[in-house]
């Protein structure tokens, strides 16, 4: 579910950005932003958010009595990715209404999605490795990367389904654009997935195979 949302920042979000106002003004300095250049926000935000999480957010949560365990972090990451898609859905609704929208508004969903990435991707990879016995670590890593492929295939299936005339007619009947409806669909899909993942996480028994043996 996470990868089906995350990887679309390089496709669906750029398509949206192409319809936005690309001139941005900061402290009286105006410049044009090429839609594809917004992708540079992701690695920049990763470098900022990782130390912020480790030095500020996680210690603060522990002081409040909330342990940011790997499964909790991953659940929160999926929820944040859904929130990012709700924001881009709202931006798309404004665009469909003919309102001019600055490309700078995409900074908010990029920040939410990148925080979700930090909580899901890095955490999940280490978690999967630590839970797998030595004989299964290679298989687990393969399945982890297969999840990326499955997420992208799910996007293709959804996009192909939207091309169905009856589906398009139904969406148009709601007064919403097709692209905005897709965005809200993916957000809802991620929220349901986070709910199922979080529920299962409460029942999961942690083990420690980090160095190949159970502890």
């Amino acid at each position: 579910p996470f990868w089906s949302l995350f990887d679309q920042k390089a496709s669906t979000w750029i398509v949206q950005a192409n319809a936005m106002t690309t001139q941005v003004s900061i402290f009286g300095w105006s410049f044009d932003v090429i839609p594809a250049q917004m992708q540079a926000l992701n690695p920049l935000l990763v470098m900022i958010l990782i130390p912020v999480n480790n030095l500020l957010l996680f210690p603060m949560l522990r002081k409040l009595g909330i342990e940011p365990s790997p499964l909790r972090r991953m659940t929160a990451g999926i929820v944040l990715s859904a929130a990012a898609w709700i924001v881009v859905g709202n931006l798309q609704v404004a665009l469909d209404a003919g309102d001019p929208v600055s490309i700078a508004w995409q900074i908010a969903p990029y920040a939410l999605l990148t925080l979700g990435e930090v909580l899901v991707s890095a955490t999940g990879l280490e978690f999967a490795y630590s839970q797998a016995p030595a004989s299964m670590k290679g298989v687990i890593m393969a399945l982890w990367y297969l999840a990326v492929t499955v997420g992208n295939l799910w996007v293709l299936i959804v996009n192909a389904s939207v091309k169905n005339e009856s589906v398009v007619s139904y969406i148009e009947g709601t007064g919403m654009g097709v692209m905005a409806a897709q965005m809200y669909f993916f957000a809802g899909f991620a929220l349901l997935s986070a709910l199922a993942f979080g529920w299962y996480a409460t029942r999961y028994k942690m083990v420690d195979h980090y160095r190949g043996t159970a502890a």
Side-chain angles (χ1 to χ4, degrees):
F2 171 76
W3 292 114
S4 67
L5 274 65
F6 179 79
D7 285 345
Q8 287 192 74
K9 68 180 177 56
S11 55
T12 306
W13 287 20
I14 292 179
V15 172
Q16 182 187 72
N18 283 324
M20 292 178 158
T21 303
T22 57
Q23 190 173 59
V24 178
S25 296
I26 299 178
F27 302 118
W29 179 41
S30 297
F31 57 94
D32 285 326
V33 178
I34 299 173
Q37 289 177 332
M38 295 295 289
Q39 296 291 297
L41 285 172
N42 178 246
L44 175 63
L45 289 168
V46 167
M47 298 301 293
I48 294 173
L49 291 172
I50 288 179
V52 167
N53 285 348
N54 293 334
L55 299 175
L56 296 177
L57 179 60
F58 296 159
M60 183 183 70
L61 289 173
R62 290 188 179 100
K63 286 183 179 179
L64 294 174
I66 302 172
E67 177 58 35
S69 66
L71 291 175
R72 285 178 176 173
R73 278 182 267 167
M74 293 169 69
T75 302
I78 300 173
V79 171
L80 286 168
S81 68
W85 277 77
I86 291 174
V87 174
V88 293
N90 291 343
L91 294 176
Q92 190 61 42
V93 168
L95 288 169
D96 291 342
D99 298 332
V101 179
S102 171
I103 198 171
W105 282 105
Q106 277 199 338
I107 295 174
Y110 269 102
L112 289 169
L113 190 67
T114 303
L115 180 55
E117 177 194 9
V118 170
L119 294 175
V120 173
S121 183
T123 303
L125 191 58
E126 182 179 6
F127 174 78
Y129 186 86
S130 71
Q131 299 303 290
S135 61
M136 292 293 292
K137 290 190 186 298
V139 175
I140 288 295
M141 293 300 100
L143 290 173
W144 175 262
Y145 291 112
L146 179 62
V148 181
T149 302
V150 173
N152 284 277
L153 288 175
W154 171 240
V155 173
L156 292 176
I157 292 171
V158 172
N159 289 343
S161 300
V162 169
K163 293 179 181 180
N164 184 286
E165 291 185 5
S166 59
V167 174
V168 172
S169 298
Y170 174 79
I171 293 173
E172 291 177 345
T174 64
M176 186 182 301
V178 173
M179 190 169 175
Q182 284 180 273
M183 290 172 168
Y184 288 133
F185 170 82
F186 281 112
F189 170 67
L191 285 173
L192 288 175
S193 300
L195 183 64
F197 185 88
W199 172 80
Y200 183 77
T202 63
R203 304 162 59 89
Y204 183 81
K205 295 182 179 180
M206 295 282 290
V207 296
D208 185 2
H209 288 295
Y210 197 85
R211 299 189 182 278
T213 57

